[in-house]
Amino acid sequence: MEAKGSEWWSGETVAVVTGANRGIGLEICRQLADKGLTVIMTARKPQEQLSSSAKQFLQDAAELGRKNVIFHTLDIAQEQSVLDFVDWLKLHVGNIDILVNNAAIQTAEIDWLFLKQNHVDVITFLGTPDCGRVTSESHELAKECIHTNYHGTKTLTNALLPLLRPTPYKARIIMVSSVAGLLYYLRDEELKKQLSEVEDLTEQKIEGVLNLFLEDLKSEKGMEKWPLQLPAYSTSKAAMNAYTRLLASKLKGIACVNSVHPGLVRTDLSEYNGNLSAPEGAENIVRVALFPVGGPSGHNFLEREDSEF
Ligand SMILES: NC(=O)c1ccc[n+]([C@@H]2O[C@H](COP(=O)([O-])OP(=O)(O)OC[C@H]3O[C@@H](n4cnc5c(N)ncnc54)[C@H](OP(=O)(O)O)[C@@H]3O)[C@@H](O)[C@H]2O)c1
């Protein structure tokens, strides 16, 4: 790989992006491809069923004769889909340099109209008990949210670790997280401690916290330990952040692993509420993916700000 100035990447630099059918994921692919990297654009739908904007992006790339955008189906919540994708990658691509874990779901209902009419911004909403009445979430949906956002992301990441290219530039893993995943929103000191003590973190510990969340939700014995709003989504992202720290420590010297909140971005997930466009949200992710050599690992960024977890 040749590097120009602080640009350590080239056309041989391979980036895998998940959840690229729409929203921020699609824009991450566009920006990485525009910078000349080879982009493995993935989505849970097969190519013929992609959104019109994803199809247009692939069609434009083909018409321009661009060989640096390759599509493959990948449903991170389906283990077989992950295995098939990794087999295909090994056979047709080989090593990868960047993994952007962007795919996620948010399964609580939010009454955006209520928030708008009462001038409640999302940050206030996340921390305000009075807004609690505007969200609802079943146990089944909460389980699906945690399964996709945490277990799906972890399964894919672990399966791709052997393919990370060993280079002086270091491979990069970016967890597209959320401000909702800050430990601040967990309302139990012991839980915060469990997810924050990096030296004692294990996958089992993180999964123990997620199992406890689902048990508490099912037993309805009380959700007082858990985030007030979007409890499953917030808890899944807090677990993802803990996994970022665990992986950063495990891959020290091999890869940079960071979490990034893209901002409040107008996409389907936010029902088009937010102060940023999808390209602006994607820029916050791409910036971290392409940090100059020697950049941070084990950090959490809220948009462009280095933040506590
Ligand atoms: N928008 C915001 O304000 C905001 C704020 C903080 C964090 N984020 C994070 O930013 C990331 C992107 O969100 P977005 O706003 O772009 O949301 P979005 O428009 O809803 O896009 C999410 C994408 O993830 C895909 N996806 C869901 N489950 C999947 C699975 N099992 N396997 C593969 N792909 C899957 C969806 O696929 P389909 O198209 O097939 O449904 C969709 O393309 C997420 O991690 C989200 O948590 C967003």
Side-chain angles (χ1 to χ4, degrees), residues 15-52:
V16 172
V17 182
T18 67
N21 182 38
R22 54 193 162 102
I24 299 167
L26 174 57
E27 296 308 321
I28 294 170
C29 290
R30 202 189 302 281
Q31 290 176 21
L32 291 173
D34 284 348
K35 287 180 187 294
L37 288 85
T38 294
V39 178
I40 314 295
M41 168 189 182
T42 71
R44 60 180 159 177
K45 293 188 175 115
Q47 188 161 348
E48 55 283 5
Q49 289 171 25
L50 291 179
S51 70
S52 52

Side-chain angles (χ1 to χ4, degrees), residues 17-279:
V17 182
T18 67
N21 182 38
R22 54 193 162 102
I24 299 167
L26 174 57
E27 296 308 321
I28 294 170
C29 290
R30 202 189 302 281
Q31 290 176 21
L32 291 173
D34 284 348
K35 287 180 187 294
L37 288 85
T38 294
V39 178
I40 314 295
M41 168 189 182
T42 71
R44 60 180 159 177
K45 293 188 175 115
Q47 188 161 348
E48 55 283 5
Q49 289 171 25
L50 291 179
S51 70
S52 52
S53 34
K55 276 186 186 157
Q56 189 66 54
F57 170 64
L58 285 168
Q59 196 181 320
D60 290 349
E63 281 171 10
L64 288 168
R66 273 184 164 176
K67 301 243 183 299
N68 68 332
V69 181
I70 305 165
F71 177 80
H72 200 278
T73 305
L74 169 63
D75 184 336
I76 63 160
Q78 304 289 335
E79 198 176 357
Q80 193 55 51
S81 176
V82 171
L83 294 175
D84 292 347
F85 173 69
V86 175
D87 283 348
W88 170 84
L89 205 57
K90 275 183 196 157
L91 200 62
H92 297 280
V93 181
N95 289 118
I96 67 164
D97 302 279
I98 297 174
L99 168 61
V100 183
N101 283 311
N102 166 78
I105 53 174
Q106 194 296 100
T107 45
E109 271 179 41
I110 303 176
D111 187 343
W112 290 104
L113 191 64
F114 173 89
L115 299 181
K116 232 175 218 169
Q117 282 172 347
N118 291 281
H119 309 289
V120 181
D121 63 36
V122 175
I123 303 294
T124 311
F125 158 68
L126 285 170
T128 310
D130 293 349
C131 299
R133 67 190 185 85
V134 301
T135 67
S136 65
E137 190 166 40
S138 70
H139 184 266
E140 273 318 299
L141 285 177
K143 206 167 152 186
E144 198 186 322
C145 180
I146 283 177
H147 178 70
T148 300
N149 299 1
Y150 176 75
H151 294 282
T153 299
K154 193 198 77 174
T155 303
L156 175 69
T157 306
N158 284 350
L160 289 179
L161 294 184
L163 297 190
L164 294 181
R165 197 191 314 275
T167 65
Y169 314 117
K170 292 208 189 112
R172 285 110 197 273
I173 300 174
I174 295 88
M175 308 290 182
V176 182
S177 191
S178 169
V179 65
L182 289 179
L183 291 171
Y184 169 81
Y185 293 112
L186 279 174
R187 293 180 293 153
D188 181 83
E189 288 312 311
E190 180 52 34
L191 284 174
K192 284 187 196 191
K193 203 167 145 215
Q194 281 192 36
L195 292 184
S196 59
E197 288 178 344
V198 189
E199 47 296 333
D200 292 333
L201 263 180
T202 59
E203 286 186 22
Q204 289 80 352
K205 206 173 217 180
I206 300 171
E207 274 149 40
V209 169
L210 293 174
N211 291 339
L212 182 65
F213 169 81
L214 288 171
E215 272 170 36
D216 282 357
L217 189 65
K218 196 167 204 167
S219 72
E220 289 173 6
K221 73 179 175 200
M223 292 292 288
E224 69 277 357
K225 292 180 182 161
W226 304 101
L228 271 169
Q229 315 292 359
L230 318 181
Y233 179 75
S234 301
T235 306
S236 73
K237 295 290 189 180
M240 180 193 231
N241 286 349
Y243 178 58
T244 294
R245 300 171 92 181
L246 174 63
L247 209 54
S249 133
K250 189 169 147 187
L251 300 180
K252 204 170 174 196
I254 300 168
C256 295
V257 190
N258 294 295
S259 287
V260 191
H261 163 66
L264 300 171
V265 184
R266 295 184 295 274
T267 63
D268 286 324
L269 188 135
S270 63
E271 292 181 38
Y272 293 87
N273 292 280
N275 55 328
L276 300 185
S277 65

